[in-house]
Amino acid sequence: MAYDSYSRLKISRDGGRLTALVDNPPINLMTLELYSELSRLSLELEADPEVMVFVLKSANPDFFIAHFDVAAILGFPIDQPAAREAAGQNAFHAMCQRFGSMKAVTIALIEGRVGGGGSELVMGFDMRFGVRGQTRINQMEVPLGILPGGTGTQRLPRLIGRARALEVILGGGDLDAETAAAWGYLNRCLEADEIGPFVDDLAARICAWPAEAVILAKRAVSLAAGPLPEGLVEESFLFQSLIRDETARLKMQRFLDLGGQTPEGEREVERLSRQLAGAPSGPITSAD
């Protein structure tokens, strides 16, 4: 994939990781042009078998992505009565869904303010990280006389619960990073100098694991939104599929060779897991 012809997104690639830097001054407003580029990027990513992790961040530390362009909304056609669309017909909804359902793991690194359509976009991502004292989330549609129409009324309650979603949507106030992390909107609230290295390390680890295990684990977790019995059936099938995979069998044996299932190895299982990604061979020791 070339990932060229983008003017509001700066694309960079490092192995299995692809990063997009949103640069649409002055506030990274979700203009029609930015929306078009994000939608096109989602289609390219969905079709790219080599990207394991996608990270979205902003060139502006104060603004991640603002709400959808209100002037553009005022230009939407209203000459016909409102009509219900079948699932998948709303193009903005479809874009948000792609970022969550694609093979790649999607991560939003939110250093500043995110609101309206920008917030709805990242709610569809697999993970979101924010900065203590800087990240602010806002759904400002109801004060304008409308409502979140880009998945917000459906995704936000699933993230933080119905009552809290109503507080955010109906209250029109900012949600700070600490509260957003405690409520489940953000995975973590980090210091400004910590968020970049943390996401870099997380992305590098995911890219280092066996690709098929990452892909199928994400698929299995996504099934948790449906009925539990159906999810368990699929989880069992995917597990059985992976234990037949030669890469998995080699990794499991390597785990044992490195000292897994010993008291010393199990106390440092995170570091042992990192060794499985290609660190020096031999059993794990306290000096490693």
Side-chain angles (χ1 to χ4, degrees), residues 2 6 26 34 79 91-92 128 134 141 161 183 192 204 210 213 229 238 245 248 257:
Y6 290 97
L34 177 58
D79 54 318
F92 195 96
R128 291 158 297 280
Q134 292 180 207
E141 293 89 351
W183 285 6
L238 295 175
D245 182 80
D257 294 342

Side-chain angles (χ1 to χ4, degrees), residues 102-167:
M102 65 177 57
K103 170 185 65 64
V105 177
T106 53
I107 301 174
L109 195 160
I110 308 169
E111 293 179 286
R113 178 173 289 274
V114 63
S119 175
E120 290 173 304
L121 170 69
V122 299
M123 278 190 252
F125 275 47
D126 296 318
M127 305 180 214
R128 291 158 297 280
F129 297 91
V131 175
R132 192 182 313 279
Q134 292 180 207
T135 301
R136 293 286 185 275
I137 297 109
N138 187 290
Q139 296 297 150
M140 34 61 71
E141 293 89 351
V142 168
L144 300 183
I146 55 177
L147 55 75
T151 75
T153 67
Q154 302 306 298
R155 291 195 184 275
L156 193 57
R158 287 168 164 81
L159 285 175
I160 67 175
R162 179 180 182 274
R164 287 168 172 169
L166 285 171
E167 177 183 337

Side-chain angles (χ1 to χ4, degrees), residues 74 82 104 121 165 169 196 208 223 242 256:
L74 284 171
L121 170 69
I169 292 171
L223 293 169
L242 284 172
L256 296 174

